[in-house]
């Protein structure tokens, strides 16, 4: 996108918010960088330089605009559409891997050398992994400075900086203000939280409009596992297993943002928690591009026009979702929740939730691998499927995560007993994040196809769906929405 200069100039001159996060505008005369929708008077085209990331702008010596705050724009949808090396690296960096394990750890997770990862990122994103991680730390630091009363030293370490001095220097360089000056600029700062809620933060998660919350929150609430997930007071709440501890998040849909209230046992997990919540809600999607493509099919167009902006409900824990997909094979939503709740009560790690009814973290694959299969109230064949899956996950033979190679994981899952195309594709769609995953054998999809006049046999429907690529996972959401199942409605 950023290499198409003429298109970028038009986007900046029209202040088109749809391109926020796709590229950044660095202004040569002022030394600042902005999002395309910046409300300031657009600079002359000859003074514009376009960069693919905030990190690339910072590395080139530009500082963030104080009006449009480019550090708060949604992330690029590019990294959630692809499964190549750069996209997987960007997802891992957003998940905090560089801060925890360094560049060698990032490279090891990807299966490449550090040099190769650095070269690929520089070529496409304009910055290496350290610069990208630094830009992310700066964003997190600003969030903590502006929304909490934490001492600056605590902010520095929670944001991932190794020292207060590095934190101070980075904030001054990126935002042209000291941390204390950043805090002083907030006119109505959120008051300090009571001692009864240590580690609790309230923030806003931006997204590209439009966003239809009905199927997104409806699906998460209707399939929620008791003790791990719940719908309470207009918010979807769930527990989070994080690198340094655990957390509880409450996510509330609003017209222009998602309200996010996070309670963390360790503030160093803030960046990772935000990244995983954004991923679960598919907030970095480009709904305009998706819907425009799906509207080219005259039978899908009325569904898109009726409720545009549907997202794919995903997950904060890929291994957890894979286990739940097996538990849900050939049973109702209620039965799947019951099976999962039993596992949670027996093998999950307990947590304290004074604000609601959350009681546990979902069990790890290691804990589930130790479960006696005979204790599982399910058919023998499904018990074998469950045992094989958790054994491979616990042993590291199958790795489900943001760094996963989608094609390889599909092959590995299909090789397991009891894994057919439906189970593999639903995991690809909701756990791996493949936007082109498709479920032609799903009963709800076949019913919707028949009602709309689309081909209803799997082979014929797959052939028709070729025109929906690469957004077939979003077409699934629109087709499911023709049914009256609770997953399609925002809970009361």
């Amino acid at each position: 996108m950023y290499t198409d200069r003429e298109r970028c100039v038009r986007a900046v001159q029209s202040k088109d918010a749809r391109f926020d996060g796709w590229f950044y505008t660095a202004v040569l005369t002022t030394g600042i960088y902005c999002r395309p929708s910046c409300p300031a008077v657009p600079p002359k085209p000859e003074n514009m330089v376009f960069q693919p990331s905030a990190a690339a702008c910072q590395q080139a010596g530009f500082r963030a605009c104080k009006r449009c705050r480019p550090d708060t724009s949604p992330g690029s949808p590019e990294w959630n559409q692809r499964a190549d090396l750069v996209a997987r690296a960007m997802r891992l960096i957003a998940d905090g891997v560089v801060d925890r394990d360094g560049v060698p750890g990032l490279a090891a997770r990807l299966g490449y050398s550090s040099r190769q990862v650095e070269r690929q990122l520089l070529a496409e994103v304009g910055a290496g992994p350290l610069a990208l991680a630094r830009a992310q730390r700066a964003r997190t630091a600003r969030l903590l400075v502006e929304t909490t009363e934490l001492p600056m030293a605590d902010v520095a370490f929670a944001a991932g900086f190794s020292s207060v001095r590095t934190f101070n220097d980075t904030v001054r360089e990126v935002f042209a203000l000291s941390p204390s000056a950043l805090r002083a600029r907030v006119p109505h700062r959120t008051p300090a939280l009571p001692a009864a809620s240590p580690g609790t933060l309230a923030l806003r998660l931006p997204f590209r409009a439009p966003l239809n919350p009905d199927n997104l929150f409806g699906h998460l609430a209707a399939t929620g596992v008791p003790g791990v997930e719940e719908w309470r007071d207009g918010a979807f709440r769930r527990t989070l297993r994080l690198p340094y501890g655990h957390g509880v998040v409450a996510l509330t849909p609003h017209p222009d943002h998602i309200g996010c209230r996070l309670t963390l046992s360790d503030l160093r997990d803030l960046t990772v928690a935000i990244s995983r919540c954004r991923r679960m809600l598919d907030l970095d999607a480009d709904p305009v591009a998706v819907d425009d493509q799906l509207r080219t099919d005259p039978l899908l167009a009325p569904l898109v026009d009726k409720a545009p902006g549907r997202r794919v409900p995903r997950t904060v824990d890929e291994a957890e979702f894979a286990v739940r997909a097996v538990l849900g094979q050939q049973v109702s939503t209620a039965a799947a929740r019951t099976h999962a709740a039993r596992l949670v009560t027996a093998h999950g790690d307990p947590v304290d939730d004074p604000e609601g009814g959350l009681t546990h973290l979902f069990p790890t694959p290691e804990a589930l691998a130790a479960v006696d299969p005979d204790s599982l109230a399910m058919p023998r064949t499904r018990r074998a499927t469950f045992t094989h899956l958790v054994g491979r996950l616990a042993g590291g033979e199958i790795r489900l995560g943001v760094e996963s190679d989608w094609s390889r994981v599909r092959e590995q899952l299909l090789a397991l007993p009891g894994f057919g195309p439906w189970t593999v594709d639903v995991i690809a769609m909701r756990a791996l994040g493949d936007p082109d995953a498709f479920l032609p054998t799903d009963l709800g999809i076949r019913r919707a196809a028949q009602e709309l006049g689309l081909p209803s046999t799997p082979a014929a429907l797959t052939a028709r769906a070729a025109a929906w690529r690469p957004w077939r996972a979003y077409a699934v959401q629109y087709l499911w929405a023709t049914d009256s199942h609770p997953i399609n409605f925002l809970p009361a």
Side-chain angles (χ1 to χ4, degrees):
M1 171 68 199
Y2 78 99
T3 58
D4 188 340
R5 181 174 179 80
E6 185 176 336
R7 189 180 177 194
C8 290
V9 169
R10 288 200 304 269
V12 171
Q13 291 177 335
S14 62
K15 304 183 188 300
D16 196 332
R18 294 178 301 170
F19 294 99
D20 288 354
W22 276 102
F23 69 90
Y24 296 82
T25 308
V27 185
L28 297 173
T29 51
T30 61
I32 66 171
Y33 70 94
C34 305
R35 59 169 79 195
S37 64
C38 182
V41 176
K44 295 179 180 179
E46 59 266 27
N47 293 327
M48 299 182 195
V49 176
F50 302 108
Q51 298 282 7
S53 65
C57 294
Q58 295 167 19
Q59 195 162 264
F62 295 90
R63 65 183 186 278
C65 175
K66 296 176 183 176
R67 291 192 64 182
C68 70
R69 299 186 54 177
D71 53 301
T72 62
S73 62
S76 172
E78 189 75 13
W79 315 128
N80 291 333
Q81 298 171 17
R82 298 159 35 186
D84 56 28
L85 172 60
V86 171
R88 291 159 56 206
M90 293 296 289
R91 294 197 290 268
L92 279 173
I93 292 169
D95 206 48
V97 167
V98 172
D99 289 336
R100 296 192 300 274
D101 304 326
V103 177
L106 171 69
R109 292 277 290 271
L110 293 167
Y112 288 82
S113 68
S114 299
R115 189 175 185 180
Q116 177 76 343
V117 173
E118 178 101 22
R119 184 166 62 248
Q120 293 269 9
L121 286 170
L122 281 171
E124 187 162 346
V125 191
L130 290 177
L132 291 162
R134 177 178 180 266
Q136 182 166 271
R137 287 194 294 272
R139 287 195 298 271
T140 304
R142 182 171 191 163
L143 176 68
L144 291 171
V145 166
E146 294 183 338
T147 62
T148 74
E149 298 287 348
L150 286 173
M152 292 302 178
D154 291 346
V155 170
F157 295 116
F161 289 96
S162 58
S163 70
V164 175
R165 180 176 180 178
T166 304
F167 158 69
N168 287 329
D169 291 345
T170 300
V171 170
R172 286 194 184 95
E173 183 179 336
V174 174
F175 304 115
L177 290 169
S178 67
S180 57
L182 265 183
R183 180 167 281 177
R185 283 170 55 90
V186 181
H188 300 290
R189 198 162 59 248
T190 303
L193 291 159
S197 304
T200 300
L201 304 169
L203 53 139
R204 296 156 61 108
L205 303 182
F207 56 76
R208 290 178 185 80
L211 181 143
N212 187 323
D214 294 0
N215 75 301
L216 180 58
F217 285 90
H219 206 126
L220 294 172
T223 61
V225 177
V228 175
E229 299 164 310
E230 68 174 1
W231 181 265
R232 180 183 291 266
D233 299 329
F236 174 71
R237 305 179 72 246
R238 72 154 291 152
T239 57
L240 304 171
R241 186 182 297 276
L242 299 165
Y244 295 105
H246 66 270
V248 172
V249 64
L251 297 161
T252 308
H254 294 284
D256 61 346
H257 70 278
I258 301 296
C260 176
R261 182 175 172 85
L262 274 166
T263 302
L264 302 173
S265 61
D266 192 317
L267 281 175
R268 290 178 296 175
D269 285 321
L270 176 62
T271 301
V272 178
I274 293 173
S275 174
R276 293 183 183 178
C277 290
R278 293 190 63 82
R279 182 169 170 78
M280 177 174 65
L281 300 182
D282 196 17
L283 296 186
D284 291 326
D286 184 350
V288 174
V290 172
D291 290 352
D292 284 351
Q293 178 68 25
L294 298 183
R295 281 192 185 97
T296 60
D297 189 314
L299 297 182
L300 274 187
L303 298 180
V304 177
D305 292 336
K306 180 181 178 181
R310 292 193 184 277
R311 300 300 208 271
V312 178
R314 291 185 174 141
T315 183
V316 293
D317 188 320
E318 295 81 5
E320 172 191 318
F321 184 84
V323 171
R324 290 169 59 175
V326 169
L327 297 179
Q329 286 178 332
Q330 300 177 344
V331 299
S332 67
T333 299
R337 295 177 72 219
T338 299
H339 285 313
R342 289 172 181 161
L343 284 179
V344 165
T345 302
H347 307 286
D349 298 324
V351 298
D352 182 36
D353 175 27
E355 297 182 15
L358 303 181
T359 60
H360 289 81
L361 300 172
F362 197 86
T364 63
E366 291 76 15
L368 294 176
V371 173
D372 179 4
D374 293 334
S375 67
L376 301 174
M378 60 180 70
R380 182 181 301 172
T381 54
R382 197 168 311 131
R383 282 185 301 199
T385 302
F386 173 90
T387 302
H388 279 89
L389 172 65
V390 296
R392 300 293 193 281
L393 292 173
E397 297 164 58
I398 297 178
R399 298 186 62 176
L400 300 178
V402 293
E403 77 276 18
S404 296
D405 181 312
W406 298 340
S407 298
R408 176 169 171 74
V409 169
R410 283 173 182 271
E411 293 172 0
Q412 292 176 317
L413 292 177
L414 280 171
L416 297 178
F419 271 80
W422 183 92
T423 305
V424 171
D425 280 320
V426 80
I427 291 172
M429 179 173 68
R430 296 196 54 202
L432 302 182
D434 183 352
D436 201 38
F438 191 50
L439 307 173
T441 62
D442 181 83
L443 182 59
I445 296 299
R446 296 178 67 181
R447 284 176 178 168
Q450 191 168 17
E451 289 178 12
L452 293 172
L454 291 163
S456 57
T457 62
L461 185 57
T462 300
R464 175 64 175 260
W468 307 341
R469 306 190 76 167
W471 310 117
R472 292 184 301 176
Y474 294 87
V476 168
Q477 308 309 312
Y478 283 104
L479 292 172
W480 271 341
T482 61
D483 192 78
S484 58
H485 196 284
I487 65 170
N488 294 315
F489 302 97
L490 194 67

